Amino acid sequence: MADAGRVTIDIGSSLIHAAEIGPAVRLAAFGATDGQRRLLAMAEAASTYAAPHFDPRVGFEDARGELASKLGVLADGEQVEPAVITGGALGNPIKASVISNLHTDDELRLTDLLRANGFEIGAEMHAPNKRLIRQFDPEEIARNLLVAQSPLVVIALAKDQGWESLSLSVDVLKYAVEGRLPRYSPAIAVLHSDDPHTGLISSLADTFEVFDVSIKSQGDGVDVMAARGEIASAYQTLVLDHGASRLPLGLNVESAVPTGAALAAAARQIAVNGGISVAVLHVEPWGAVAAYSDGSQAFAETFGSDRNSAAEGHIGLLLPIEQILEWVPVVIPETAARAYFLNRAWRPWLVPETPAELLLDHAAAHLALREAVRSIGDPAPAVDLIVCTGRTLATVPRLVQAALCGINAYLPTGYCQVAVDKPGVLAMSGALLALGIEIAPEASLVHVATCVACDGIAKIGSPALAVEVKPEEGETVSRSVSFGSMDRITWDSSASAEVRAWPGSKLDVGGGRSRATALRNEIRRGEGGLIIDARGRPIGLPDDATRRRAALLQWFQSTDSYALPSPELEWGGVEY
Amino acid sequence: MSTNLSLVQSSVAAGLLKRRHYLPFAGEIEVQVGQDLEIGTRWAVCHPAGRTSIRDIPRVSRVSPAQAAEAIDSPLGDEVAEGSRLAKGGGFLSGSRDWTAPWDGRMEHISDLSGLGFFRESLDAIPLYARLSGTVVEVVDGSHIDIEGRATAIRCAYGAGGTSFGRILVASEGSDIEFPRDGPEGPWIVVILDTLTPDWISALPLEKTSGLIAPSVARESIDVFEASPDAGEANAGAQKRAPTVLTEGICSSRMPPALQKIFRSCIEMQACLVASSTPGEAEVLLPEADRSALPQMDEAVRIAAGPQIGVQGSWKGHEAPYGRNGAGVVGRMVDLQRDEGGIARVISDNLERLG
């Protein structure tokens, strides 16, 4: 966490820069301070890769100028050249469609390998240990590929007698896919355990960019992991192709790192440094990413991020509108909500102008994050720290709003800390870490709150959680919260405090059903204090609209996250 | 306290602009570096591929994959009319049906490894036209060209229907659209200054209109963009009839006076409407506007979010202290002198430059 004490900046050390190209262009400079490399300055400018400029240099130069002026003497006349680029505009993640006849276990290894290297699975046509023609109509293969429009098509074949399945895949790509859609010509990775038919591969290479990879193991089997290098290389090629029109020309970029991989690297570093498990939740209008690490492993899952049409341009348009409105405690017509998200898809850099817009943004953000978290695990793995970042969460009016989004999305149980990456640089820090450059990513985090949440279901209104906070100085605060409700306890911000919790008979706060627990470490207050979440898991929203709004109001008002009127009021606030 | 204007998005760019023109499909580029092009000039022709019918010929004709090519009625590459037989069904008792051409097209490929036959629909070649007048500065065969020229570009919020060309016609307020009887011929890109309504859309004569520019559409009327004329609906979708762009978005806003002035300065001039539904790509390309038509840089801005979306004002001073907007978001707050009177205090993130 950010240290309020004095920081010594080593002016003699060279600065490292990172760029994030998203709804805005952001540049960050990291320098050595107190022996660690951490954020020194950050600059932001309007993205100009789209109309009316179609020239990313304009925004990039604005950001570069602003960063240089912020750095002052620290810049030492050096030109800002990012060592790494990340951000949603690069197209993260990239879809890969898979045609395969591998054994099911190998197929799973292949899809895991693709995901680990920044891809998500588009169309998947899997005929385990069979001839493809036995399982799929060739026209169906073509149709699936055209619907998915994946920039990468992976053909993974084992025991392909007479190259029949390879021939089928190659012919479908050449004669039924190529030229059918405007500017759609995928790269092809051919993974084969037999000696390939050189004529087929070279005819494929006449039309497409081809990555030809042997996955033959030393015995007679298949070693999918042998394709690791080529898959990583395919990602780098495609991400730069995909984002080429959005990157300033001539930019000396050693590598582009997808947001998911960057956040996973940041989560791992924070987990290792703190000896804890960490979830990083990142939301911007285009998509949501949830990354998790317990120090030994780190991975990320994504929701959204396709921007091929306005209908895909905002997370609010990718989720059912009625589901989003269930999480808004005021009456907003569905048409108004849809109009709002469409307008935001066209202008993703805007910020909410009214409380109703803010509620819509935050409801969509937590539901999009929930989808990404669900891909990590349902329930999600236990976590000690939730970090909220990305444009939507880093710009919240009150930090506790980001904390509530994080809690609603991750649904932690027991105790966990919530922090916000206030400058919104975690993706850039992670991208540098992914390249092997040492950074202290936790330096940009602000501690917001500690959450104690109970697992299980009980009767609404029944006693659920008794909590006691004993600050170093001052009086002990006790609170009893009924099931279905939230509450929060605050105390002197300068004092740390001990926490104990006694769950109701059917509930668990980490020690087992109805067993009392105490946090071993003392906690600091932060802006949000101790958030008590007695809603159980999963959270049950009342079906009745009036009761639902009342429940939401109780959650929002008790945590002091939103200032809202009574639910009886017909309160639009979205004036489209 | 001066405000960093680089954070304020621009909606209008004027001067020397460059536009990349991609070949959407394989095709031939017909221009060279250094060549001057006028807006609407053909620069390439491309050949989209049609649908493909695929059949397992050994199964259809009861032959081996190696004999598949001999079982086909028409030679590879020859044009075949819809309904013609491509391969004769084989077998005696459980004989399979003939494979007939589902469209006009040609046999593209027969694999001697799998025995599959690929019959592809023939489509007409598509000519591609320059979106702005200028000089070709780059040609990459098989991929794209870049054209650089002096023009004015106006970014639009919404687009649907594709790219079109025409002369600018600003519709008079409160009356039917009057197309000029004398002067240059159309087709016309009609500029409407008020919120687009289904009535406006139905009133547009298709033979004269190549595109539609409007500031906004009310949220209750979004459906007009999704309705299909084929379905016989009364107020059929605008984008099915003519490419359409909205400068403000889904709201009930009039076109800001600064944009009206730019369009009025280009009346009867050739323009290009890029009505793309991909966020950030919709725009109108006009000949370079007269300097007097462009508002002063830093002064004319529009509010792009919230209840006042589309309201134009001027931002003469650069005083912008930190504050909170209606949603509580912290940022630089700008006191905007609204054109229609009064002061609006707006967070600078939600402003767009019109100059």
Side-chain angles (χ1 to χ4, degrees), chain B residues 201-226:
Chain B
I201 295 165
S202 336
L204 277 177
L206 286 177
E207 64 286 0
K208 291 181 178 171
T209 313
S210 63
L212 186 58
I213 299 169
S216 57
V217 64
R219 67 174 200 240
E220 294 78 15
S221 307
I222 301 176
D223 291 347
V224 300
F225 290 100
E226 288 156 8

Side-chain angles (χ1 to χ4, degrees), chain A residues 342-502:
Chain A
L342 275 168
N343 284 332
R344 289 299 306 275
W346 301 326
R347 294 180 171 115
W349 53 84
L350 301 179
V351 296
E353 191 62 52
T354 65
E357 292 183 355
L358 186 77
L359 288 166
L360 282 174
D361 260 11
H362 289 181
H366 104 244
L367 290 168
L369 278 170
R370 181 80 203 119
E371 293 298 320
V373 168
R374 220 174 248 138
S375 304
I376 287 179
D378 197 6
V383 72
D384 299 311
L385 171 64
I386 293 173
V387 177
C388 301
T389 183
R391 191 175 173 79
T392 307
L393 297 184
T395 59
V396 288
R398 300 182 193 185
L399 294 180
V400 71
Q401 292 167 355
L404 195 57
C405 273
I407 292 166
N408 286 342
Y410 201 86
L411 299 182
T413 55
Y415 297 87
C416 90
Q417 198 181 342
V418 188
V420 172
D421 165 34
K422 194 91 176 30
V425 293
L426 206 58
M428 287 188 270
S429 310
L432 288 167
L433 284 164
L435 284 192
I437 298 166
E438 279 190 29
I439 292 282
E442 60 274 22
S444 66
L445 307 188
V446 176
H447 166 67
V448 178
T450 304
C451 174
V452 54
C454 57
D455 195 8
I457 300 287
K459 192 178 170 194
I460 293 284
S462 63
L465 200 50
V467 179
E468 185 183 274
V469 173
K470 192 174 176 187
E472 275 175 334
E473 293 164 16
E475 290 187 8
T476 299
V477 185
S478 299
R479 204 64 60 81
S480 187
V481 183
S482 55
F483 189 81
S485 302
M486 295 185 83
D487 207 338
R488 81 165 180 156
I489 297 174
T490 59
W491 61 96
D492 181 3
S493 62
S494 61
S496 50
E498 292 174 2
V499 182
R500 287 183 194 185
W502 292 265

Side-chain angles (χ1 to χ4, degrees), chain A residues 15-365:
Chain A
L15 301 179
I16 294 222
H17 302 102
E20 185 177 357
I21 315 280
V25 181
R26 312 177 82 228
L27 284 174
F30 297 84
T33 58
D34 286 343
Q36 277 193 314
R37 197 181 291 279
R38 54 172 78 180
L39 179 69
L40 284 186
M42 207 271 296
E44 187 172 307
S47 280
T48 53
Y49 62 78
H53 298 287
F54 287 106
D55 184 355
R57 281 173 305 180
V58 178
F60 186 79
E61 290 304 329
D62 285 341
R64 184 138 76 176
E66 196 196 339
L67 186 64
S69 84
K70 280 188 173 174
L71 284 169
V73 292
L74 293 175
D76 199 22
E78 279 183 39
Q79 182 77 304
V80 174
E81 291 294 347
V84 67
I85 283 197
T86 186
L90 294 182
N92 166 53
I94 288 179
K95 267 191 204 161
S97 289
V98 180
I99 306 168
S100 124
N101 74 349
L102 300 182
H103 185 274
T104 302
D105 290 346
D106 289 323
E107 170 83 4
L108 283 174
R109 273 183 212 111
L110 174 60
T111 51
D112 284 348
L113 180 66
L114 287 165
R115 287 196 180 101
N117 281 281
F119 291 99
E120 67 174 1
I121 306 303
E124 193 171 4
M125 289 155 281
H126 183 212
N129 305 321
K130 282 185 193 162
R131 296 159 63 205
L132 286 180
I133 194 86
R134 281 280 178 90
Q135 188 92 3
F136 297 106
D137 175 0
E139 288 182 12
E140 183 190 350
I141 296 178
R143 216 165 23 246
N144 291 343
L145 291 174
L146 289 169
V147 168
Q149 290 187 56
S150 307
L152 179 71
V153 175
V154 179
I155 303 169
L157 300 171
K159 293 182 183 160
D160 183 18
Q161 298 265 326
W163 300 290
E164 185 201 59
S165 294
L166 178 61
S167 163
L168 163 67
S169 310
V170 169
D171 289 342
V172 164
L173 281 161
K174 282 188 71 171
Y175 301 108
V177 172
E178 174 65 10
R180 283 280 285 135
L181 297 172
R183 296 184 57 201
Y184 178 58
S185 184
I188 316 291
V190 184
L191 280 53
H192 46 80
S193 67
D194 307 317
D195 290 334
H197 187 292
T198 48
L200 281 173
I201 300 287
S202 63
S203 86
L204 195 63
D206 288 344
T207 313
F208 303 96
E209 181 169 9
V210 174
F211 298 86
D212 179 13
V213 195
S214 170
I215 51 169
K216 193 173 185 174
S217 73
Q218 287 197 327
D220 198 20
V222 167
D223 176 14
V224 169
M225 299 315 280
R228 185 185 295 157
E230 287 291 333
I231 296 290
S233 154
Y235 183 85
Q236 292 302 327
T237 307
L238 292 171
V239 82
L240 287 174
D241 282 355
H242 189 81
S245 63
R246 293 163 178 170
L247 298 178
L249 295 173
L251 192 63
N252 180 22
V253 181
E254 291 168 14
S255 193
V257 178
T259 311
L263 294 172
R268 183 199 289 270
Q269 193 65 45
I270 297 168
V272 168
N273 291 353
I276 53 174
S277 54
V278 177
V280 174
L281 306 179
H282 177 282
V283 200
E284 58 185 8
W286 296 334
V289 183
Y292 172 83
S293 178
D294 58 8
S296 58
Q297 55 170 347
F299 47 86
E301 293 291 343
T302 301
F303 174 79
S305 290
D306 277 343
R307 294 180 309 285
N308 293 322
S309 70
E312 298 171 331
H314 194 285
I315 47 175
L317 300 168
L318 300 173
L319 296 157
I321 287 284
E322 60 277 10
Q323 192 188 351
I324 296 171
L325 291 175
E326 278 183 357
W327 280 88
V328 178
V330 292
V331 180
I332 298 174
E334 281 189 20
T335 50
R338 185 169 158 69
Y340 171 70
F341 288 126
L342 275 168
N343 284 332
R344 289 299 306 275
W346 301 326
R347 294 180 171 115
W349 53 84
L350 301 179
V351 296
E353 191 62 52
T354 65
E357 292 183 355
L358 186 77
L359 288 166
L360 282 174
D361 260 11
H362 289 181

Side-chain angles (χ1 to χ4, degrees), chain A residues 51-52 139 183 347 353 576, chain B residues 19 24 54 155 219 248 350:
Chain A
E139 288 182 12
R183 296 184 57 201
R347 294 180 171 115
E353 191 62 52
Y576 300 118
Chain B
R19 289 291 180 270
I54 309 171
R155 182 172 54 75
R219 67 174 200 240
E248 310 307 301
N350 288 345

